[in-house]
Amino acid sequence: MNRRLVAVLAVGALALAGCGGGGAVSAPSQAVGYTDINPQPRDNVRDGGDLRWPIDSLPDNFNYNQFSGSQVQTKQITDAMLPVLYTDTPDGGTARNADFLIAADLTSAAPQVVTYALNPKATWSDGKPITWRDFEAQWKALNATNPAYLISSRTGYEDIASVAPGTDDHHVVVTFARTFAEWESLFSPLYPASTNADPTLFNTGWINKIPVTAGPFALDAIDPTAKTVTLRRDPKWWGRPAKLDRIIFKVFERTATADALANNEIDFYPIGSSVDLLKRAQSVPGAAIRQSAERLYNQITFNGSPGAVLSDLKLRQAIAKGIDRTAIARRMVGAIVPNVTQLGNHIYAYGSKDYRDNSGVLPYDRGAANRELDTLGWVRASPGAMRSRNGQPLRLRLLEGTPNPIGQQIDRTVLDQLAQLGVTVTIQPVPIQQASSQYKTGNFDLVAFAWQNTSTPFSGSQGLYAEPRGDDVQQNYGRIYDPQVSALFEQGLRELNDTRRADLGNQADQLIWQEVHHLPLYPATGAYAVRSTLANFGAPGFADIDYIDAGYLK
């Protein structure tokens, strides 16, 4: 699977929990390229122990490549059990994972050929070796040639011409029909041919089950009643053994996590946008505050599908100009990150080397928003009245996943700001379990949740701006499509020069602002409350989580 943006918390669940407010609270630096994980050599970490990990909901599907499985908690769980060929590094780059790859080389540029040398020790839990056939099956499942596979993204896989064995079954030769610059994003996580080769197993074989693994941890149990997923250290693992005995993922409401940490029920929790959770962590004995800039950001998605009220571009632009993103950012996280500002880019994470603030294309301007709405015929019958056109009120439905205090606070702030423009916003609560279907069908006007960016931004975010093809919208839930954006993504995905590729990305970002595809609000704080005895774990920043060396100090 290529690295791509994932909706947080679940597909459809709103971002973070808790609420901002109160006085400024001291917190560590958010320096980019910095991880705050209490780094320790393995010799300082004891063998054994459980890491009790709070999550917001159980995954709908443990197949991260399937449409309903593209959720951050799915990735958190499966990354400990499935092959991840390249891991993210603190500086925002990637590194080859030697547990699975002895080598991976671009052996030809025209045509593009990548040759993988697999670790011959790498084996699935059913006893089958990991071979080129697993790569072939994943390519065929995700290249969009068979519509029976309900995939979340085809980026990169659709550019492959063939997957074949090299000198033996542990050598994989991937030949591309078109150049794909971010090829390191592919086949990660890798799923077995035993489930990828059949579309029914692909779509449903990982619902409430994890049938096959290949990682430092294996599945112990899934308990839907207790809302837990328990992993155990896998004795068959061929790499450095994990330090922890078990990782126990358990569903907790964010507002309950501080009590859970204090009561020794969990070992860390995300602070997110909650000053209350930060302050409470500071009073929990044995808790440390760890913080590092990360890729997560809060945003509002607009529904521009045919027939929707916001299918009118000029109306979307007017509505967006009436939303004060800086005010939202300061209200939500200003007490945690005093210098927080609105986010200015859809493609590149705040603080990454290619980030540019392109939000000037669509600035907050309430006066302009009022004038543009008047010009469009959405007028007030009297000062202070709500707007209408030809007797039809300007009413927007804002989808709200429940329960989620931070999401609710963002939603009500947007409601209040748009009410000042004369726009009626109706908040429509929907259970988290039903939210993903609401997204897929486009049954909303606005929805606020979070996206988590990636180290391969072109392949990671292309699915958000893909052309809708019937029900196949990939991750373009608002169905807002601009062929110019797609053309720039195509250029970027074929451009091997990093500087030119970044320039293309920022050109595309300016058009995305103009189209009002979604409205970035603010980058996440990257703050966590962590048990102080935990080592090699905490606020990873741009890096992937280290499941092998994480553990408790001796």
Side-chain angles (χ1 to χ4, degrees):
M1 175 58 203
N2 56 306
R3 297 174 188 274
R4 62 177 179 275
L5 273 75
V6 290
V8 182
L9 302 167
V11 175
L14 302 180
L16 308 179
C19 55
V25 179
S26 174
S29 169
Q30 276 196 296
V32 175
Y34 166 77
T35 60
D36 193 2
I37 60 171
N38 186 20
Q40 298 287 336
R42 281 177 61 86
D43 288 346
N44 290 356
V45 181
R46 67 179 174 89
D47 291 324
D50 294 343
L51 174 59
R52 297 161 300 175
W53 187 317
I55 55 176
D56 296 272
S57 63
L58 289 180
D60 298 323
N61 192 325
F62 289 97
N63 184 351
Y64 183 68
N65 298 335
Q66 205 270 349
F67 179 85
S68 63
S70 184
Q71 306 170 16
V72 70
Q73 62 265 28
T74 308
K75 186 177 189 301
Q76 289 171 341
I77 294 169
T78 59
D79 273 3
M81 294 185 288
L82 291 173
V84 176
L85 305 189
Y86 280 85
T87 57
D88 288 349
T89 55
D91 63 359
T94 60
R96 175 176 55 83
N97 187 343
D99 287 325
F100 297 101
L101 290 178
I102 294 173
D105 299 297
L106 182 66
T107 50
S108 171
Q112 182 181 0
V113 179
V114 176
T115 302
Y116 299 87
L118 305 180
N119 187 336
K121 297 179 181 179
T123 306
W124 297 108
S125 58
D126 60 8
K128 297 177 182 177
I130 297 176
T131 71
W132 73 275
R133 295 189 184 280
D134 297 300
F135 284 66
E136 179 191 44
Q138 184 144 320
W139 161 55
K140 289 182 176 179
L142 301 183
N143 64 11
T145 57
N146 186 344
Y149 288 92
L150 304 180
I151 61 177
S152 54
S153 175
R154 58 180 173 266
T155 301
Y157 294 100
E158 62 184 349
D159 298 320
I160 296 173
S162 66
V163 176
T167 56
D168 59 35
D169 284 354
H170 295 292
H171 286 79
V172 189
V173 179
V174 178
T175 302
F176 289 80
R178 297 186 299 173
T179 301
F180 181 65
E182 294 179 343
W183 59 267
E184 292 179 349
S185 65
L186 297 172
F187 305 106
S188 191
L190 181 69
Y191 280 75
S194 60
T195 60
N196 271 340
D198 177 80
T200 300
L201 287 176
F202 177 90
N203 292 326
T204 65
W206 294 76
I207 295 175
N208 296 325
K209 65 183 73 167
I210 300 173
V212 186
T213 61
F217 286 87
L219 178 66
D220 187 35
I222 299 173
D223 188 336
T225 302
K227 297 183 179 180
T228 61
V229 178
T230 302
L231 314 186
R232 56 176 172 76
R233 182 165 48 189
D234 190 348
K236 297 179 181 178
W237 172 243
W238 55 90
R240 293 192 327 277
K243 285 290 186 177
L244 293 164
D245 284 328
R246 298 191 302 174
I247 302 176
I248 304 169
F249 297 89
K250 182 175 175 60
V251 173
F252 278 89
E253 289 189 15
R254 290 289 181 97
T255 51
T257 53
D259 285 338
L261 183 66
N263 294 335
N264 197 29
E265 299 174 59
I266 59 175
D267 297 301
F268 82 102
Y269 65 79
I271 290 169
S273 303
S274 175
V275 174
D276 178 63
L277 288 179
L278 175 62
K279 289 181 175 179
R280 294 190 65 190
Q282 291 172 325
S283 67
V284 174
I289 309 301
R290 298 179 185 166
Q291 184 175 22
S292 177
E294 58 186 13
R295 301 181 186 277
L296 193 71
Y297 70 94
N298 285 271
Q299 55 84 38
I300 302 171
T301 288
F302 285 60
N303 184 4
S305 58
V309 63
L310 292 176
S311 62
D312 183 338
L313 170 60
K314 292 188 180 298
L315 178 58
R316 291 201 303 273
Q317 291 173 334
I319 295 295
K321 289 178 182 178
I323 297 175
D324 188 345
R325 299 182 302 117
T326 297
I328 293 173
R330 290 175 178 168
R331 178 179 181 183
M332 304 308 297
V333 298
I336 301 174
V337 185
N339 296 321
V340 70
T341 184
Q342 62 188 24
L343 186 62
N345 203 297
H346 300 77
I347 298 172
Y348 297 108
Y350 178 78
S352 64
K353 63 183 179 62
D354 296 319
Y355 174 89
R356 298 179 199 164
D357 187 343
N358 296 314
S359 61
V361 173
L362 192 72
Y364 165 66
D365 188 333
R366 185 177 294 166
N370 276 304
R371 292 190 297 271
E372 290 171 17
L373 288 170
D374 289 340
T375 300
L376 292 170
W378 294 102
V379 297
R380 299 176 189 258
S382 61
M386 306 311 285
R387 293 180 181 272
S388 63
R389 185 172 70 179
N390 300 326
Q392 181 72 28
L394 181 51
R395 178 177 292 115
L396 302 177
R397 293 172 304 128
L398 197 164
L399 194 69
E400 180 175 86
T402 55
N404 197 298
I406 274 292
Q408 291 166 353
Q409 191 170 356
I410 291 174
D411 292 346
R412 281 151 183 75
T413 303
V414 171
L415 183 152
D416 291 342
Q417 291 183 354
L418 293 183
Q420 295 177 51
L421 290 179
V423 178
T424 301
V425 175
T426 301
I427 294 177
Q428 180 181 339
V430 58
I432 287 175
Q433 294 81 1
Q434 299 176 16
S436 61
S437 62
Q438 299 264 111
Y439 279 39
K440 188 174 181 180
T441 59
N443 188 16
F444 64 91
D445 294 313
L446 301 169
V447 60
F449 58 96
W451 284 116
Q452 182 164 290
N453 232 314
T454 76
S455 58
T456 51
F458 272 87
S459 54
S461 57
Q462 187 186 38
L464 270 72
Y465 312 105
E467 181 179 10
R469 301 176 182 176
D471 291 335
D472 179 13
V473 299
Q474 297 190 62
Q475 293 169 297
N476 189 359
Y477 303 130
R479 294 164 169 76
I480 295 172
Y481 172 68
D482 182 347
Q484 295 181 80
V485 172
S486 286
L488 287 166
F489 266 86
E490 283 298 312
Q491 286 181 258
L493 286 168
R494 316 302 159 209
E495 177 55 67
L496 295 175
N497 181 280
D498 292 345
T499 301
R500 289 196 292 268
R501 189 165 64 253
D503 184 59
L504 291 167
N506 278 293
Q507 289 180 48
D509 184 58
Q510 293 181 46
L511 291 176
I512 294 166
W513 279 106
Q514 184 176 305
E515 285 292 323
V516 202
H517 180 278
H518 65 277
L519 199 61
L521 298 177
Y522 60 89
T525 65
Y528 295 81
V530 185
R531 200 166 301 285
S532 59
T533 53
L534 259 178
N536 302 316
F537 189 86
F542 288 175
D544 277 343
I545 293 166
D546 185 347
Y547 294 89
I548 293 174
D549 291 336
Y552 295 92
L553 292 171
K554 291 179 177 178

